[in-house]
Amino acid sequence: MRRVTITNQEMTGVAGALRAALDRYRLATSAPETAWGFQSRWRIVRGVDIHDRASLDSPDATPPLVLVHGLAVSHRYLMPLAAKLAGHHPIHVIDLPGFGLSSDPGRVLTVAEHADHLADWLEATGLPPTVVLGNSFGCQVAVDLAVRYPDRVRGLVLVGPTIDPAARTAFRQILRWLGDTALEDPLQLPILARDLRDAGPHRVVQTLAHALHDPIEHKLPLISVPVLVTRGSREPIVPMAWARAATRLLPLGELAVVPGPHNTNYAAADHLAELFLAFLHSRVLA
């Protein structure tokens, strides 16, 4: 039998990785407490109490950055990225109506209706034109916002934009999502469970139906601001062929690959934040 020896350096590396994973989890699940440099706020928009997680250390630098979550999740899994961006620009991580800590709008909203709520929320908060980052389904909301409310948006970051036109069925999207879940940080699973509880299965299923009927590829050529498209290097939800096609459709688009699966905003937040800030200063603020 071969003897396996673990060095002190390896033990230190494992311990450090575990601490980092636990810190990400604590940060992600800290709301509504004021903690980790963020506070929870609520604002009534279109009769819905909208929650956002806002950075306490908000420099005067503009534009502010607004982060929009995906289909079955909430602000929580975006918090590791938000923490990396805090200190550079004001950060707002919003819960869409019916998700996370935002209240129930009374029915399941379409992509356009989510964009309407987001536009009204931006107006109600008095924020100047923002750079909006969306992940997955959040990309669809961000794109619709940029097309129909161009005065609200200075730039976009689309992290794993859905839906790949080559897989526009619920069955194929669920298969890809299950494949990606197996690659994500295991501590995201309890976060996902909490988010599913908050939204409810019916809202998640019906929102997926709305997402499937929202051809993002028709809207991308209409966006006039700079756009950064990213995908995870190991993700099945956004294949490289679709990421490249989406980028080509954008008048001012560029593509970057981030190590990891679909939710690079969670486990690869360092890398994604660097790309985001470099894009912001070279393309949006140049």
Side-chain angles (χ1 to χ4, degrees), residues 41 64-66 90 92 121-130 151-152:
R41 307 180 312 173
L65 313 179
V66 175
H92 301 269
W121 179 86
L122 288 168
E123 181 176 10
T125 56
L127 292 176
T130 66
D151 57 321
R152 302 276 182 218

Side-chain angles (χ1 to χ4, degrees), residues 157-161 228-232 235 255-258 264 272 275:
V157 179
L158 306 179
V159 181
L228 173 64
V229 177
T230 76
R231 73 173 293 270
E235 72 158 288
L255 174 64
V257 177
V258 182
T264 53
L272 183 56
L275 286 173

Side-chain angles (χ1 to χ4, degrees), residues 121-201:
W121 179 86
L122 288 168
E123 181 176 10
T125 56
L127 292 176
T130 66
V131 173
V132 181
L133 176 144
N135 171 245
S136 202
F137 172 74
C139 296
Q140 295 179 244
V141 176
V143 164
D144 197 82
L145 176 77
V147 170
R148 295 194 297 116
Y149 299 93
D151 57 321
R152 302 276 182 218
V153 180
R154 287 189 64 179
L156 292 180
V157 179
L158 306 179
V159 181
T162 55
I163 283 174
D164 177 6
R168 188 169 278 135
T169 67
F171 178 73
R172 294 191 68 179
Q173 287 300 307
I174 291 169
L175 281 182
R176 288 185 177 189
W177 179 79
L178 290 173
D180 182 76
T181 301
L183 303 173
E184 298 283 354
D185 184 325
L187 284 180
Q188 276 197 86
L189 294 177
I191 298 171
L192 176 60
R194 182 181 296 191
D195 289 338
L196 285 170
R197 180 201 67 191
D198 289 343

Side-chain angles (χ1 to χ4, degrees), residues 33-55:
E33 300 297 327
T34 299
W36 298 85
F38 288 85
Q39 64 179 346
S40 286
R41 307 180 312 173
W42 283 265
R43 186 181 297 270
I44 296 178
V45 176
R46 294 184 169 221
V48 181
D49 212 2
I50 300 296
H51 169 261
D52 80 286
R53 198 80 170 139
S55 55

Side-chain angles (χ1 to χ4, degrees), residues 193-231:
R194 182 181 296 191
D195 289 338
L196 285 170
R197 180 201 67 191
D198 289 343
H202 173 73
R203 185 176 307 281
V204 171
V205 170
Q206 290 302 310
T207 303
L208 173 58
H210 288 314
L212 291 168
H213 289 90
D214 176 66
I216 191 174
E217 67 273 18
H218 295 170
K219 301 176 188 179
L220 295 176
L222 306 177
I223 298 175
S224 59
V225 297
V227 183
L228 173 64
V229 177
T230 76
R231 73 173 293 270

